[in-house]
Amino acid sequence: MNHLKKTLSYFFRDELSIKHKFVNVILGSALLVQVPGIVVSIVVGTDLIGLIIQVVMAVFIGSILYLTNRFPESIVPPIMISTGANLIGFPIMFFVCGGSGTGIVIWMLFGAIFTWLLLDIKWSVVITVIIFCILTGCLHIEKEYPQYVSFLETRNDEIMDTSIAFIFVAVIFGLIFKYQTYAYEKQAKILRGSDEELRKLNEELAEANTRLESASAAKSSFLANMSHEIRTPINAVLGMDEMILRECKDNQILEYANDIDSAGHQLLSLVNDILDFSKIESGMMELHPVEYELFSIMNDCYNMIHMRAKRKELEFTVENDPDIPAFLYGDEVRIRQIIMNLLTNAVKYTKDGSVRLIFSYEKTDDRNIRLIVSVKDTGIGISEENRKYLFDSFKRIDEKSNRNIEGTGLGLSITKKFTEMMGGEITVESVLYEGSTFTVAIPQLIADKGTVGNFGERLSHKREKSVEDSGKDKSAKKDRFTAPRARVLVVDDVKMNLNVVRLLLKNTGMQIDLASSGDECLKYTLVKRYDVILMDHMMPIMDGIETLHRVREQADGLNADTPVVALTANALVGAQEMYLEEGFVSYISKPVKSVDLEAALVKLLPKDKVEYGPSDPHEVKESQDSHDN
Ligand code: ADP
């Protein structure tokens, strides 16, 4: 039984095509017919030649069956079966086994039909025509020359032979068609199954996709929240440190405070990078194009980098094509960030030599240019192999040798994303141990007429002018002022933040009240009229937005139209628009610097309460430091 199963599974194995399996059914059935046929022939006393032919046929069918399964790809065996049986076997049987009175005509019909099952249509037509001619020829010879036909002895033998042929052929075709139906049904079932599997797979994929999306959204919102939470204490640390830098006279403590300041700003830029990254990842990053002056970007980059370069004894130069349009339209903040990232890296990864910042442009048409900014350094360089990972997020190259250099591996990936968001591209050329050149080319609109001129000349001119101005009138510094008659209310749930703001504004001499919740704020606004309110956003129970609305609607309140400034660590994209829409007059992001705070306040305070006084010597130093950072 097992042996039979094994043999059957060999003839119907999966790698065989359906057609091939038919061949096996036909040949197997023919063999099954042939063997009892031989027995019957012996019983009915068919002559020796007839018997030999039947045996030869059985051997022939057996060998074709073997060859077909040995070489399943070949079309030779099916052609051999068809031609062998139809063109040789059956005609010989016609004459030897009794002529048209026997079952041979049924066998010939069988041969023609299985040719159609086995071969392609062209071969089937050809062989059928030949079979037709052979059959007609045989019948004709039988009629005209009956002496060539070896008839069976009795009519009974002929009837038996015909009946047997009928039974066998009917059974063989029955088997073939049954198997065909079975094979197609099986195939259809498999297809239905794989359809079902595909559907399930699709569902699982969609589910996995949703899970991934929500995981990614959760990650982004986690990063955004984390950076918000981290910015709040950094605000306190940097604010307090600013007070130490401003008020302390002890050099040792000033040195410590300077270190805190630089580490704090490093931490801040890290948090900002993570925030930018999470915004880009979650698709929340938007560009905010404005009209800007290119010289101001050049100047800021120069101011921010030249001190760092000097500390490392690197030569730092800014070069430019003087014909670049002076006023452009684009996302100034992001362009500044891109250049600063490249410059910071250049200084970080260069031990000696120079860093050059080069501005040039290509005119695309009358209204558009491609602003091209290159940062060239003579630093450690990047090997060809490492260059392909350069823009991957969180990927730092040569971690071993760069261990002592701070970094997250986010700067370049953010830079590339910003550049691409603006329709530009970034390229890098580098020779290991000799230096690197990073170049960004960003499309920008020309906003106004005029060219930027030579940066070096403009810078020295600017310096001379500022020395002159400061000599003429030291008190001309607009941002620093006193306003002892002005009243300001600061609302924040974190005590330390309240103190930071109070201390940062100490020099202005303003009257400052501190409220540590929305409720407390409403108590103050009921009894005192303020010139400005500085309001934190994220506060428990009643947040800054709700508090603002309540202040506006407060019956008998004294501050229905007092300007309220949002002072918050929420640095998410769109925050500014949201605050303005809610009714805040402006928005300051924490950690806040006294300069920014004063600049925002001086715009809002009544003019008659503001007095500009001589500036304090600490302030000059402070503003330089803030540039360096
Ligand atoms: P990181 O915070 O590590 O500086 P970046 O994304 O800015 O992250 O840079 C990725 C890596 O590219 C760095 O770790 C550094 O190995 C390499 N790299 C970037 N800029 C330079 C450069 N100017 N010279 C040599 N290597 C650089």
Side-chain angles (χ1 to χ4, degrees), residues 39-166:
V39 177
V40 171
S41 296
I42 294 169
V43 173
V44 297
T46 311
D47 63 20
L48 192 64
I49 300 179
L51 205 61
I52 292 171
I53 289 172
Q54 276 180 298
V55 173
V56 170
M57 282 285 277
V59 173
F60 172 73
I61 293 169
S63 7
I64 299 274
L65 185 64
Y66 169 76
L67 286 176
T68 318
N69 286 284
R70 189 74 219 280
F71 309 103
E73 303 301 323
S74 169
I75 63 151
V76 177
I79 291 182
M80 275 171 74
I81 313 165
S82 184
T83 48
N86 290 308
L87 312 186
I88 304 166
F90 294 142
I92 294 175
M93 276 169 71
F94 184 91
F95 290 104
V96 187
C97 300
S100 62
T102 63
I104 189 64
V105 178
I106 297 176
W107 284 114
M108 285 175 132
L109 179 66
F110 166 80
I113 295 178
F114 89 56
T115 299
W116 281 84
L117 282 174
L118 289 186
L119 300 177
D120 63 21
I121 193 148
K122 195 175 74 197
W123 276 106
S124 305
V125 170
V126 172
I127 292 179
T128 308
V129 171
I130 299 175
I131 296 173
F132 168 77
C133 297
I134 290 175
L135 176 64
T136 314
C138 288
L139 291 172
H140 197 73
I141 293 170
E142 186 191 57
K143 186 174 154 256
E144 297 297 327
Y145 311 99
Q147 67 272 26
Y148 295 128
V149 180
S150 142
F151 293 105
L152 294 188
E153 271 169 25
T154 61
R155 183 63 196 140
N156 268 350
D157 290 348
E158 283 179 351
I159 291 170
M160 188 146 150
D161 190 77
T162 308
S163 309
I164 290 170
F166 172 81

Side-chain angles (χ1 to χ4, degrees), residues 270 273 341-350 375-377 379-382 386 389-399 402 405-415 428 430 435-438:
L270 201 102
D273 270 0
N341 271 349
L342 298 179
L343 281 174
T344 325
N345 276 350
V347 173
K348 263 198 314 193
Y349 297 107
T350 305
V375 175
K376 272 181 193 287
D377 66 55
I380 56 172
I382 307 149
N386 280 338
Y389 308 116
L390 211 52
F391 299 102
D392 290 359
S393 320
F394 297 106
K395 179 97 187 164
R396 303 202 67 210
I397 290 163
D398 246 337
E399 287 219 50
N402 291 342
I405 305 175
E406 282 129 3
T408 50
L410 274 180
L412 281 181
S413 119
I414 292 172
T415 302
V428 56
S430 186
S436 316
T437 305
F438 285 82

